[in-house]
Structures are given as C-alpha cells and as structure tokens.
Amino acid sequence: MNKQIFEHLKHKINNYLEQHEFNNAIFLADKLYHLTFHENIWTSSQQERHYSEDEEEVIFLLAQAYFGSCQYKRALNLLTNSFTDNFVLTSPIKCFFLAAKCLEKCEEWYQCLSLLGETDDDFEKVIHRTVTKENLSSLYFLRAKAFDKIDNKIRAIHWYRETLVLDPTYFSAFEALIEGNLLNGEEQRNLINEIPFDESNIWVKFIYETKIDNFNFQDNNCKDAFRKLQLEYNLGKNHDVMCSLAEKHFYAQRYTQAYELTKFIIEDDPYNQNCLPIHISTLVELNKKSELFELSHKLVEAYKDSPISWYSVGCYYYCIKKYASARSYFTKSTALNAQFLQAWMGIGHCFSNENEPDQAMAAYRTAYRLFTGSHLPPLYIGIEHTKTNNLTLALQFIEQALNLCNTDPLVYNEMGVIYYQWKLYDKALEYFEEGFKLCPKKDELSSVIKVSEITNNNNSTDSDFSSLVTQIWEPILFNLANTCRKLKQYDRAISLYEKCLSYQPKSAAIHSALGFTYHLQQYLASNNLHKAIEYYHKALALQPDHSFTSTMLSKALIQISNQPLEFLFQEDIIEEDLSTTDNANLKINNKYI
C-alpha cells in the first residue's frame, strides 16, 4: 500500500481516537486493515506469520477503536486471532495489555489470570517482556485486581502492594487497598512506610496519610499531613484533600463540619464520585431528608446505572424509616457493585431496625467476607448477638473487631457493655475508660485546619461539637458512670453523670441515675437525700411515665419522713430494679452507614 496513504489514514484514525469519535475511527481503521492485509487472516488454515511494525500498528489501531466503542469481545477476538502462535509471548506488549484490559472490561477474571499467568513463574515470563516501568506496574495492578475479584484476598493484597512499591503514584492500587477495606489500621500505616517515596512525590505520601486509619482520632501523622498539604503545597482546597478531611470529621461524629466540607465540594463538583458517599452519609446523620431527596433524584437521572445513585435513594428511605424500601435499594446498589461496604452495612442496619437479627447478621457476614480489613462488620455482628443476649458469641466478634481496629471508642464501649452485663464491673470499667480516652478531642483537627478557612464560610461552626459529644462522649461517659456506681465509687459516678448532663441536659435517664446515686450515698450515711429527690423530680418532669424513677421518688419521700432505713431501702433490690434501665442505656445506637 502507498506509504503516503498509510500515514494519512493512520493520522486520521489517531485524531478520531483522541477526539473519542470511535465510530469514525473504526470505519477508517477497518479499511486500513484490509488494505494492509491482502489475504484473509481470519481463516483457520492460515499459518502464523511475523508482522512488520506497520502491520502490528494497524492491528492495534483497529483493536483500540473497538475497545473505545466498548466492543471488548470484538477487540479481543481480533487480537487473539492475529497472533495465534503463543499469544502471551509473541504479541506486541501493547496488544497483549489491550487484550488483558478487554478481559477486565468483560469481567472474565479467570481468563485474565490465565493470560497473565496463574502462577508466579508464569507471570515472570510475561513481565520479562515489558520494557517500561509503567507497563509493569499496570500488569501488577491488573493481576491484583483479578485476584481480588475472585476473592483471593491474600494474593490480591500482595500484588497491590507490589504495584505501589514499583510506582508510588499508582493511586488505583492504593484506593483498592484502603477504600476496599483490605487492610486494618496497623497494616495501612505499615503500607505507607513500605512505599519508597522520593522528593518528587513526597506530597503523594501526605495525601495517602490523610486517607488511612479513619478511626484513629489521635494520629499526629495525619494532622501533620493536612498541615503540610495546606501550607507547603497549597492543596488545602483540593477536593480530594477536603474529602479526606470530611471523612475524618464524619467518623469522629463531627457531622456539621463534615457536611460543610462535602457541601462545598458538591456545589462545585456535583457528581464527584469520591465525595458523594460521605456526603450522603452525612445527610443521613444530620437528618436532612429534603436535601437527600433532591440529591437522590438528581443522581438517578444523571447516573441510573451507578451504585451510588441507588445507595442515595436507599439512604433517603432509611432516613424516613421505610426500611423495607431502603433495603431494596441498598440491595440494588450491591448488585451493581458488590465492593460497596456502605450499601452492605445499610442492608444490615435495615434488618436490625426491623428486629430481624439473623438477616442483619447475614448481611454483616457478607460484608465481613468481602472487606477483611474493616472492623465494622464484626462489630455489628457482635452488637446483634448482644441484643439477643448471646453474649459469648458477641464477645468473640467484638474481640475480632478490636483486633482489626484498636482505636475506635465504640468497640471498647461494646466490650464494656458485655462485661457489665456479666457483672464483671472491674473489667467493664477498664474498657469504658479506654474508650473514653480514645474519644476525639475538640481541637484535634480544628487546630490543624479550620473548615471556615477552606470553605470561606464565616458562619462555619468550627467550635460546635454538640454532635460529637452527643454521639460518642455522652453514652460512654454514662456507661462509665453506671459502672462506677456499681463499684460504689459514688463521687466519681456523680462527677461523670454531671458531665453527661452538660452534654444532654434534657435526658431523663441521666437525671434519674444521678438521683439514684445520691440516694445510694444516703445509705452510706451521706446527707444527700434532698438532692436525690430533686433529680428524681427533674427526671419525671422530662419523662413522667418512668416507673423506676416514680418508685424511687416514693421511697425517698417516705424515707425523708424518718421511716426506718432498713425497711424502706434495700440496696440489692434497688440495684436489681435498675439493672434493666442500665442495660437499656448501655447500647450506643449510632450506625456507621
């Protein structure tokens, strides 16, 4: 064929490919292909031949055009029929890699592994053909992804790690490990230390550090990374960095701060796929039903085949307590993307709220199998067992959660709940105290990077931590106070109850427990019966039908009329009466959705 015509057609095809005009590219590439090959190479009787560079280029251009137009099977058929004699070793590396990408798009993972080499020895033969670092890292990642999709998590983790060691900027491998919850908190920190960053990409290390270990609320490396990205690299307003900061606030229960960040991102980039899941979850926690309804419709109209769109719809129905509808949409989301932890957890939460513990645990178990590095599935399996009073099994699962994440205060709280119900109060006290120590403090992230500085919102509530103390601090403090009371550490219990009241001043349970503690002190010859009666009255003003408080108020009023103490007050009986109330208040009902 005339060289001038060949170069002209190749130039036009490349232009169409760059412009994503794949139909035009196919039209010209098909003609170029048949002008180049005068014989029909599709016949099975044809012997293997060696192609010139121009001929290889023609085959690749046509396959690339097929691939761009989503005709993956057609592209694969062209490539494999063009290089019939040991395709793995004889085809050009770009054709080999394109064939592997076709199998990836077709989700034929076993065939993809067969092409790349099922054993490490076979894969060694493949990688010896590669001449560039970029080709090699892409093959590493594709091999890792194939193992991941067939649930061979150990080998998947190994090759994801190898990808990052070879190319520290290969974010897809990092995202698969972290967002896919394949590593626990400690393993995530070790991963950062394994990656060989240099001066040219050290900023990537800081971004990675902002994305790991979201339940470690006292991680100084994370705070330093945020500071450096903002001050040294001027990336404080980068959407990816802001999204990482929003996740830190969300998991620390600072929902208002998380919402301000995600709202800023979504207003600028309405279809940001990285930000949408955390934004949707924040809307649920803040009960912004109208905004969630509007967002869900917008996403379904724009991306009806996206799992995030249907997850958003499910969250809306979850928010309005229509759990059956919510569950159906969460299920649809997992059908579109089985690697969607939030949707699996949503299914479990729906069953849990409908008092279906067996089905809830089935959803959590599926999540546990798919996301081996996340502590949330075993934690919630343990919570369901606690609800059904199967405390031995509950302990086993919550201990597994603790092994995966030893920095989440909710895990320690649930451990304390189990030992409290077993009346092992000293052990319960240890876990409640450890959980309290791990609770995020008010100035941990706001002292590093203020939301108002990023969003330019002067009305930002950087100092408003009511959501934090309500969702994490107050229940753990209350449980800790109950345990101290059981151990007859009445002064400390009173101090903790008063701290709880500063967070939830309208809680009848706290007023009642505080009054009861003062009542117990009276049994030890303290003169606090008037205070007990005062708090009983406050509790009944907030919840008039609280039977235990009414009973105790009657006893206190009779007792203050100088009736015999032994007859009117029997501590063991009263402690037994309160046990049901204690246990009801020991559970933290917050759901990480």
Side-chain angles (χ1 to χ4, degrees):
M1 184 177 62
N2 185 290
K3 186 72 173 176
Q4 185 176 359
I5 296 176
F6 177 84
E7 292 296 333
H8 174 71
L9 284 175
K10 192 171 79 168
H11 177 71
K12 291 287 290 183
I13 293 167
N14 282 320
N15 278 345
Y16 282 134
L17 289 173
E18 290 176 1
Q19 296 166 12
H20 303 286
E21 295 287 349
F22 299 114
N23 194 43
N24 292 338
I26 290 173
F27 174 79
L28 292 181
D30 174 67
K31 307 308 177 286
L32 179 60
Y33 178 87
H34 285 277
L35 287 171
T36 303
F37 301 102
H38 299 293
E39 298 179 357
N40 186 3
I41 70 167
W42 301 99
T43 60
S44 59
S45 60
Q46 183 194 6
Q47 295 181 349
E48 176 63 23
R49 56 170 292 184
H50 296 287
Y51 298 108
S52 66
E53 289 186 7
D54 285 345
E55 290 172 331
E56 289 178 352
E57 183 69 16
V58 169
I59 296 170
F60 179 71
L61 282 174
L62 181 55
Q64 196 176 17
Y66 288 153
F67 185 89
S69 63
C70 302
Q71 300 182 53
Y72 306 121
K73 290 281 189 180
R74 194 178 182 189
L76 182 64
N77 186 62
L78 171 65
L79 291 168
T80 54
N81 284 337
S82 297
F83 304 93
T84 56
D85 185 17
N86 199 344
F87 177 80
V88 173
L89 298 179
T90 61
S91 62
I93 189 63
K94 60 185 178 183
C95 292
F96 173 82
F97 186 70
L98 184 59
K101 294 295 289 183
C102 289
L103 290 170
E104 177 193 13
K105 292 295 185 179
C106 294
E107 298 187 353
E108 295 181 358
W109 302 111
Y110 287 100
Q111 285 184 260
C112 186
L113 277 175
S114 179
L115 180 67
L116 295 173
E118 293 183 8
T119 67
D120 290 345
D121 290 338
D122 291 337
F123 187 58
E124 283 291 327
K125 297 175 183 178
V126 173
I127 63 178
H128 280 318
R129 300 185 56 212
T130 61
V131 293
T132 65
K133 182 179 179 181
E134 288 75 17
N135 283 337
L136 188 56
S137 59
S138 295
L139 289 175
Y140 277 10
F141 174 74
L142 195 53
R143 183 172 172 79
K145 186 175 181 180
F147 279 124
D148 194 2
K149 293 297 183 179
I150 65 173
D151 281 342
N152 192 335
K153 302 298 183 184
I154 295 176
R155 299 192 75 186
I157 291 170
H158 169 76
W159 287 107
Y160 282 137
R161 285 178 181 270
E162 290 297 314
T163 305
L164 287 167
V165 169
L166 183 64
D167 184 0
T169 62
Y170 207 111
F171 178 72
S172 294
F174 178 83
E175 185 178 40
L177 287 170
I178 305 305
E179 299 299 326
N181 289 279
L182 295 179
L183 303 177
N184 61 37
E186 183 179 355
E187 290 169 339
Q188 290 176 14
R189 292 188 291 272
N190 292 338
L191 174 67
I192 299 296
N193 295 328
E194 291 174 9
I195 302 175
F197 296 100
D198 56 36
E199 291 184 2
S200 65
N201 55 33
I202 190 67
W203 59 274
V204 178
K205 177 183 179 182
F206 298 140
I207 290 181
Y208 287 175
E209 285 180 338
T210 66
K211 293 180 176 294
I212 66 170
D213 210 3
N214 282 326
F215 292 92
N216 187 347
F217 306 125
Q218 298 165 357
D219 185 1
N220 291 324
N221 289 335
C222 173
K223 291 183 279 186
D224 291 342
F226 276 120
R227 184 184 294 111
K228 289 178 180 177
L229 288 170
Q230 184 185 29
L231 301 178
E232 297 181 19
Y233 296 94
N234 198 27
L235 287 172
K237 292 188 178 181
N238 175 263
H239 287 177
D240 199 24
V241 175
M242 291 176 66
C243 187
S244 297
L245 182 60
E247 288 187 355
K248 298 293 182 184
H249 281 302
F250 177 83
Y251 288 112
Q253 312 294 315
R254 301 186 184 104
Y255 300 128
T256 303
Q257 289 87 334
Y259 170 72
E260 289 175 0
L261 287 165
T262 58
K263 184 181 179 183
F264 181 85
I265 297 171
I266 295 301
E267 286 177 350
D268 190 46
D269 184 5
Y271 303 106
N272 188 313
Q273 298 295 299
N274 291 329
C275 182
L276 279 171
I278 198 70
H279 181 62
I280 292 166
S281 298
T282 304
L283 292 176
V284 173
E285 296 296 342
L286 294 176
N287 202 31
K288 292 182 176 290
K289 291 178 279 194
S290 298
E291 192 170 338
L292 188 55
F293 178 83
E294 182 181 350
L295 176 63
S296 300
H297 271 277
K298 188 176 180 180
L299 290 175
V300 169
E301 288 176 3
Y303 297 102
K304 63 180 180 181
D305 294 327
S306 170
I308 295 177
S309 301
W310 299 110
Y311 171 71
S312 180
V313 177
C315 283
Y316 169 74
Y317 282 105
Y318 182 89
C319 210
I320 62 174
K321 300 186 180 351
K322 291 187 176 180
Y323 299 118
S325 298
R327 190 172 64 250
S328 67
Y329 287 111
F330 287 141
T331 302
K332 185 171 184 177
S333 182
T334 60
L336 292 168
N337 179 13
Q339 307 291 323
F340 198 168
L341 174 61
Q342 292 94 326
W344 283 112
M345 299 302 291
I347 294 171
H349 294 344
C350 288
F351 279 124
S352 178
N353 286 323
E354 291 177 319
N355 295 318
E356 296 284 354
D358 292 337
Q359 291 172 294
M361 284 189 281
Y364 295 141
R365 285 193 189 98
T366 302
Y368 196 14
R369 176 178 59 82
L370 294 173
F371 307 98
T372 55
S374 174
H375 72 289
L376 296 180
L379 173 62
Y380 285 113
I381 293 172
I383 289 175
E384 291 303 314
H385 280 302
T386 303
K387 287 181 179 179
T388 57
N389 206 32
N390 193 342
L391 300 182
T392 303
L393 270 178
L395 182 64
Q396 291 178 13
F397 281 101
I398 295 174
E399 282 179 339
Q400 292 175 31
L402 187 60
N403 291 332
L404 289 169
C405 180
N406 59 5
T407 57
D408 186 353
L410 295 183
V411 180
Y412 287 93
N413 182 72
E414 294 303 327
M415 290 289 288
V417 166
I418 291 173
Y419 284 110
Y420 185 97
Q421 293 186 353
W422 276 338
K423 300 186 178 181
L424 299 174
Y425 301 122
D426 288 321
K427 195 75 173 175
L429 185 67
E430 292 178 16
Y431 282 106
F432 287 137
E433 286 180 332
E434 186 63 29
F436 179 70
K437 290 176 185 176
L438 291 171
C439 286
K441 305 301 185 291
K442 290 185 177 182
D443 60 347
E444 280 179 356
L445 280 177
S446 58
S447 63
V448 177
I449 181 168
K450 291 185 178 295
V451 173
S452 56
E453 292 178 358
I454 298 177
T455 61
N456 297 321
N457 180 8
N458 294 328
N459 297 322
S460 175
T461 55
D462 284 315
S463 59
D464 178 15
F465 291 90
S466 59
S467 62
L468 165 67
V469 297
T470 299
Q471 293 296 331
I472 284 188
W473 280 27
E474 187 275 321
I476 294 179
L477 273 176
F478 187 69
N479 295 344
L480 182 58
N482 284 341
T483 309
C484 289
R485 194 196 69 242
K486 288 288 189 180
L487 293 170
K488 303 189 188 306
Q489 300 176 13
Y490 297 129
D491 290 335
R492 186 184 180 195
I494 289 170
S495 176
L496 291 169
Y497 284 134
E498 289 174 345
K499 185 90 171 171
C500 292
L501 277 179
S502 69
Y503 299 143
Q504 290 217 63
K506 294 184 179 181
S507 170
I510 299 173
H511 281 94
S512 180
L514 191 53
F516 182 61
T517 308
Y518 278 122
H519 206 155
L520 288 174
Q521 280 192 323
Q522 177 69 18
Y523 185 70
L524 299 178
S526 298
N527 191 21
N528 289 324
L529 195 54
H530 286 285
K531 287 186 177 180
I533 293 172
E534 178 186 349
Y535 281 106
Y536 288 147
H537 277 299
K538 289 180 179 179
L540 289 172
L542 293 166
Q543 187 177 343
D545 60 345
H546 199 288
S547 59
F548 173 80
T549 307
S550 298
T551 301
M552 291 310 304
L553 177 59
S554 298
K555 289 179 179 289
L557 291 173
I558 296 173
Q559 185 178 332
I560 207 169
S561 301
N562 296 321
Q563 295 296 326
L565 182 63
E566 292 77 13
F567 175 76
L568 294 167
F569 188 86
Q570 299 178 36
E571 182 182 16
D572 293 338
I573 296 175
I574 292 173
E575 287 282 359
E576 185 66 26
D577 288 341
L578 189 63
S579 62
T580 303
T581 303
D582 286 346
N583 292 341
N585 287 305
L586 280 172
K587 294 310 296 291
I588 292 182
N589 292 318
N590 178 63
K591 304 279 190 186
Y592 291 119
I593 188 170

